[in-house]
Amino acid sequence: MSSASPFRSPMEAAQSSVDLQSLTRPLQFIAFWLAIVTPLAYPPLLLGGLDSQTFLIFVGVVALNVFGLLAGRGYGDPA
């Protein structure tokens, strides 16, 4: 019978958490600043008028803004 535990040790769990955090922090950083910058495109798009092509660009910018708000919402929180 093996004495190996089916559970991960606390060190392995902590290492996995650090690896995941090292991947998510840069993505949160980019998403946070995407949420800050994308609203700057609203006034030029709206003042220029919304024809069919400009409307699609406007919808894309709004979608990027919503994505940035959702993905970057925990960026400033301490780890």
Side-chain angles (χ1 to χ4, degrees), residues 33-74:
W33 283 105
L34 184 68
I36 298 293
V37 173
T38 51
L40 297 175
Y42 294 161
L45 288 171
L46 293 173
L47 290 174
L50 289 178
D51 59 358
S52 62
Q53 184 176 4
T54 309
F55 179 73
L56 290 176
I57 294 171
F58 180 74
V59 169
V61 170
V62 170
L64 281 175
N65 192 7
V66 170
F67 170 76
L69 287 170
L70 295 175
R73 67 182 168 187

